[in-house]
């Protein structure tokens, strides 16, 4: 048998994960800069810097939590582990709100960047920007229902595109705008901005640093999470904080605050009014004086088109983040189990994609009926993210007391002793600050005061209904069943072997095997068993069977490669599928065989098919059998007559 993986073998190292972190977090500057400038005016740079430093404190707690518990779920996972299912669910529920808000904002801003770059002013006007935004959300969701893009490669591409745009604007703006316009002009304390507007800008500035949850959910994919994840987070976030500060310096130099009756307290900056929905294109446009018009036109197209690409990618990655979160909650009976059911083509549940996209479209359409659509969405985002950040930091401190022996490859520091236990100082500082800013968001804007509690109430209803339908205690803790696959190192496998199977159960089996291989850094071998009838010679010409094997293995290879999983494919003719599976798995040195079981066999007074039963009795390695209740994913293929394995 092949050697078992002795540690957390992952696929992401420090540079790649740092690039993912930067791409996820820095992409939010495309829509956050104008929103913050609307309120903070000449103090926008300092507000973004202050909130960025606070964000680094929060990231320290996330780094400790994800390194200690390298699973999907983020803050919801920490809170559930530290307290109970109910608190964990509510944390996850407000994070869902953040994901759909990011989806709505990114989709709303994308047509403005594209229109400003190409001169298509029509798609920037209301309501066509909303129509285009809804089309983007539905289009991305439709594509994700069919296939999943290579998310790691996509995230790195986003980072490269974003870095190129940011460096260009910061360098050119630093030379031609900051030096000529003068940074820091137009600040009148208490008036421009007003104290109320300055206070309100603090929760809005959290929008500039979205993506921490998505990055934290990649802990299960990181090499050596205790070292890789913290270093990557701080590298990526540190770069994003610097870029946000520098971009605001350039933007305010290009568009300094000026008296404007339509602005807050009689002051405004064009960055937060005329260019609020495409602030980076606005900075490019401000270069039209010092630089040749042709060069500015080229820069405008590059920044606008690349910004559109980054925003559309943000819609996709937010859907992926919500999918991972839903998967984690559904495993603990907090959402219907359909949200944890893996789709073969996308490895994200269709109910998650559909519900997330529809809610995102709903928020986007609702903005058509508000006077301040962008401001309202941004303030609602702060309601969720600040609550989740506070809960995550408190949970990390609580785990220091409740689970002192939990292995923590990374410990947030410096540490102080409190009640006899060392606790992270960043969390002790960060939690009161994020909670205080959350209170400020409730005081300074009505949207989070109204919509936020309604969203929490809807979540409570969902949680209660799910627990009642599953016949689980509403106030109890649900612990998912853990298969006895490896009593010493749970599910750590170097080689996973999966026979292809026709029908929906086969799709689920392949998706599960790829998910395991992706999360554990395992190699995967997919086997197509060509069952030849007794009356037909094994070496007979069977072109239809060969064509089916080639097509099926090709689909499996393509799907695995999209997820960065090392895959081998093999087919073989056989009279008995069970014997072929056992032989192929043994020759390859498999650590785990993944099979599926159709509910039809339970109706025939047996639990497994003869093929699965044979493998269970004769395999030289461990076997995982995926079985579903009757009525769920009924398999229409005949069990032993099919050309492929049909357990």
């Amino acid at each position: 048998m092949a050697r078992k993986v002795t540690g957390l073998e992952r696929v992401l190292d420090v540079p790649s994960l740092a690039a993912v972190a930067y791409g996820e977090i820095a992409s939010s500057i495309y829509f956050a800069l104008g929103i913050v400038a609307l309120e903070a005016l000449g103090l926008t740079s300092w507000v973004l810097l202050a909130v960025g430093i606070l964000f680094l404190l929060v990231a320290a707690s996330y780094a400790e939590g994800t390194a200690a518990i390298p699973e999907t779920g983020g803050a919801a996972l920490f809170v559930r582990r530290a307290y109970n299912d109910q608190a964990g669910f509510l944390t996850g529920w407000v994070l869902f709100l953040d994901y759909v808000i990011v989806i709505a904002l990114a989709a709303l801003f994308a047509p403005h960047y594209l229109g400003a770059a190409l001169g298509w002013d029509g798609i920037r006007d209301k309501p066509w920007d909303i129509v285009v935004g809804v089309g983007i959300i539905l289009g991305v969701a439709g594509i994700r229902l069919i296939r999943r893009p290579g998310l790691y490669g996509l995230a790195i591409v986003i980072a490269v595109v974003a870095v190129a745009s940011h460096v260009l604007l910061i360098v050119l703006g630093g030379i031609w705008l900051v030096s000529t316009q003068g940074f820091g002009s137009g600040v009148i304390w208490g008036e421009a901005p007003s104290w109320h507007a300055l206070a309100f800008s603090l929760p809005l500035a959290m929008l500039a640093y979205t993506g921490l949850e998505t990055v934290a959910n990649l802990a299960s994919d990181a090499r050596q999470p205790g070292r890789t994840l913290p270093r990557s987070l701080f590298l990526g976030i540190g770069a994003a904080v610097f870029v946000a500060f520098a971009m605001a310096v350039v933007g305010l130099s290009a568009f300094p605050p000026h008296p404007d009756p339509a602005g807050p307290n009689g002051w405004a900056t064009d960055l937060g009014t005329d260019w609020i929905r495409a602030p980076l294109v606005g900075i490019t446009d401000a270069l039209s004086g010092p630089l040749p018009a042709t060069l500015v036109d080229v820069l405008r197209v590059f920044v606008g088109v690349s910004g559109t690409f980054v925003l559309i990618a943000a819609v996709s990655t937010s859907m992926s983040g919500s999918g991972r979160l839903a998967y984690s909650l559904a495993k603990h009976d907090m959402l219907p189990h359909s949200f944890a059911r893996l789709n073969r083509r996308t490895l994200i549940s269709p109910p998650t994609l559909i519900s997330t996209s529809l809610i995102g479209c709903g928020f986007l359409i609702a903005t058509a009926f508000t006077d301040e659509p962008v401001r309202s969405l941004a303030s609602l985002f702060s309601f969720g993210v600040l609550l989740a950040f506070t809960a995550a930091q408190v949970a990390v401190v609580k785990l220091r007391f409740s689970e002192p022996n939990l292995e923590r490859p990374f410990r947030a520091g410096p540490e102080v002793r409190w009640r006899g236990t060392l606790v992270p100082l960043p969390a002790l500082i960060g939690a009161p600050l994020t909670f205080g800013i959350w209170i400020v968001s409730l005081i300074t804007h009505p949207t989070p005061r109204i919509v936020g509690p309604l969203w929490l109430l809807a979540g409570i209803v969902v949680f209660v209904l799910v627990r009642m339908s599953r016949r689980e205690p509403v106030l109890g803790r649900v612990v998912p069943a853990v298969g006895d696959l490896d009593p010493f190192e749970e599910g750590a496998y170097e080689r996973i072997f999966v026979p292809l199977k026709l029908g929906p159960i086969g799709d689920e089996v392949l998706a599960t095997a790829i998910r395991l291989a992706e999360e554990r850094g395992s190699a995967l071998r997919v086997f197509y068993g060509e069952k030849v009838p007794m009356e037909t010679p094994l070496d007979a010409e069977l072109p239809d069977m060969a064509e089916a094997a080639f097509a099926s293995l090709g689909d499996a290879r393509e799907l695995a490669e999209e997820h960065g999983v090392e895959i081998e494919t093999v087919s073989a003719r056989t009279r008995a599928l069970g014997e072929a599976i056992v032989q192929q798995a043994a020759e390859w040195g498999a650590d785990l065989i993944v099979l599926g079981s159709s509910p039809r066999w339970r109706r025939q007074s047996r639990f497994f098919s003869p093929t699965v039963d044979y493998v269970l009795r004769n395999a030289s390695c461990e076997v995982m059998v995926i079985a579903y209740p009757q009525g769920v994913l009924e398999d229409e293929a005949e069990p032993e007559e099919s050309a492929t394995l049909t357990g």
Side-chain angles (χ1 to χ4, degrees), residues 137-160:
I137 295 174
L138 296 180
V140 171
I143 293 172
R144 296 298 304 273
L145 283 171
I146 299 172
R147 65 185 296 118
R148 175 194 183 195
L151 290 181
Y152 304 144
L154 176 63
I156 293 175
V157 169
I158 293 171
V160 171

Side-chain angles (χ1 to χ4, degrees), residues 8-306:
L8 292 171
E9 298 291 332
R10 304 294 191 255
V11 297
L12 293 178
D13 53 14
V14 172
S16 58
L17 192 53
V20 172
Y22 180 85
E24 287 290 332
I25 296 167
S27 62
S28 58
I29 196 67
Y30 284 88
F31 49 80
L33 181 58
I35 298 173
V36 179
L38 175 66
E39 301 292 334
L41 298 176
L43 295 177
T44 298
S45 301
W46 304 109
V47 168
L48 289 173
L49 180 61
V51 173
I53 294 172
L54 174 58
F55 193 69
L56 285 168
L57 293 179
V58 176
S61 294
Y62 268 82
E64 175 173 322
T66 51
I69 316 171
E71 303 173 17
T72 59
L77 174 67
F78 309 157
V79 175
R80 182 188 61 80
R81 181 86 170 246
Y83 292 97
N84 51 53
D85 285 6
Q86 297 74 37
F89 171 79
L90 289 178
T91 304
W93 187 252
V94 296
L95 288 172
F96 273 124
L97 176 64
D98 290 339
Y99 281 123
V100 297
I101 293 296
V102 170
I103 289 171
L105 280 172
L108 178 61
F109 277 58
H112 287 268
Y113 273 89
L114 186 62
L118 304 180
W120 297 348
D121 293 335
I123 64 174
R124 301 175 64 191
D125 297 332
K126 186 177 179 180
W128 294 110
D129 57 344
I130 294 176
V131 172
V132 174
V134 169
I136 289 173
I137 295 174
L138 296 180
V140 171
I143 293 172
R144 296 298 304 273
L145 283 171
I146 299 172
R147 65 185 296 118
R148 175 194 183 195
L151 290 181
Y152 304 144
L154 176 63
I156 293 175
V157 169
I158 293 171
V160 171
V161 172
V163 166
S165 300
H166 299 162
V167 169
L168 270 175
L169 291 181
I170 291 171
V171 171
L172 294 177
I175 295 173
W176 298 107
L177 298 177
V178 174
S179 60
T180 58
Q181 296 288 343
F183 167 63
S185 61
V187 176
I188 303 175
W189 290 97
E191 180 179 348
S194 67
W195 297 119
H196 181 277
L198 182 60
F200 184 49
S201 69
L202 291 173
L204 291 184
M206 298 303 300
L207 189 63
Y209 305 106
T210 65
L212 180 59
E213 274 289 326
T214 303
V215 177
N217 278 328
L218 295 177
S220 58
D221 305 294
R223 248 184 223 118
Q224 298 179 322
R227 296 179 56 191
T228 305
L229 192 68
R231 292 171 63 189
S232 304
L233 274 177
F234 296 133
L235 282 173
I237 294 174
V241 172
F242 170 78
V243 165
F245 175 79
M247 195 70 71
V249 170
V250 173
L252 290 173
S253 298
F255 304 105
H258 57 83
D260 186 342
N265 207 35
W267 285 79
T269 167
D270 291 346
L271 195 65
T273 53
D274 296 346
W275 294 104
I276 187 171
R277 300 191 185 186
L280 271 62
V281 177
I283 295 174
T284 305
D285 189 72
L287 292 167
S288 58
L291 297 180
T294 302
L295 178 58
V296 173
D297 289 340
V298 173
L299 286 174
R300 183 185 296 109
V301 171
F302 173 71
V303 172
V305 173
S306 63

Side-chain angles (χ1 to χ4, degrees), residues 567-585:
I567 184 174
E568 297 179 27
T569 58
V570 63
S571 63
R573 293 187 176 185
T574 181
R575 305 288 188 191
L577 290 169
E579 294 178 8
I581 293 168
V582 171
Q583 179 182 354
Q584 289 283 339

